[in-house]
Amino acid sequence: MSDWIVGSITFADPAGLADAAGLVLGKYWLGDVRVGAGEYTAAAYAFPGVDGVGLKRLGFRGRRVEGEVAYVAESPAALRTALAADRLALEDQTFATTPPDGAELAACTLEAFPDGAVLADAGGAFVLRTRLAVRQVRF
């Protein structure tokens, strides 16, 4: 497996989340990063006295890419700071994303990146798990 790159942010392969000493500090994608099918629109039109309808294809209208991510840090404040910095780096920007083992998708925007619950690890680290969703708005 590989990393998930979202703009300037890299979420590491979850295989490196823990070692013999416990959780490893950093940012990780979890489970599955899902790349949705492209969404397309079309408009139907008709003429009086003519049976059937015509279809005008209006083109690509986006694709959703989403997955869960985890932040591991030494304190809850460090978790919130890291999440806020990453959110700021993606907000109101157009960026590329490369899902793990996937091709780069250009022209993406941030759709959702909410706060998550902070959990304490027995080894002294703290974990924040949340959902990251972006939308590819054009090819």
Side-chain angles (χ1 to χ4, degrees):
M1 302 193 94
S2 60
D3 298 341
W4 180 17
I5 300 168
V6 182
S8 60
I9 303 158
T10 300
F11 294 96
D13 188 323
L17 181 61
D19 59 16
L23 292 177
V24 177
L25 303 182
K27 303 171 191 175
Y28 303 90
W29 61 271
L30 303 173
D32 188 23
V33 176
R34 296 167 304 282
V35 178
E39 299 168 16
Y40 297 83
T41 57
Y45 60 91
F47 296 102
V50 177
D51 291 341
V53 296
L55 195 61
K56 175 65 177 166
R57 300 201 182 278
L58 302 174
F60 182 75
R61 294 297 179 253
R63 166 191 340 264
R64 189 177 171 109
V65 180
E66 63 183 319
E68 286 190 82
V69 297
Y71 288 75
V72 182
E74 65 282 350
S75 71
L79 290 173
R80 298 285 184 207
T81 300
L83 179 62
D86 289 350
R87 206 183 275 142
L88 184 63
L90 298 175
E91 286 177 341
D92 199 28
Q93 302 292 323
T94 302
F95 51 85
T97 186
T98 305
D101 301 322
E104 181 180 278
L105 303 171
C108 295
T109 60
L110 182 63
E111 196 168 87
F113 203 9
D115 282 353
V118 174
L119 306 170
D121 173 54
F126 291 87
V127 179
L128 184 146
R129 186 173 177 169
T130 189
R131 183 177 66 88
L132 173 59
V134 301
R135 175 167 284 288
Q136 182 184 22
V137 294
R138 63 183 173 278
F139 292 117

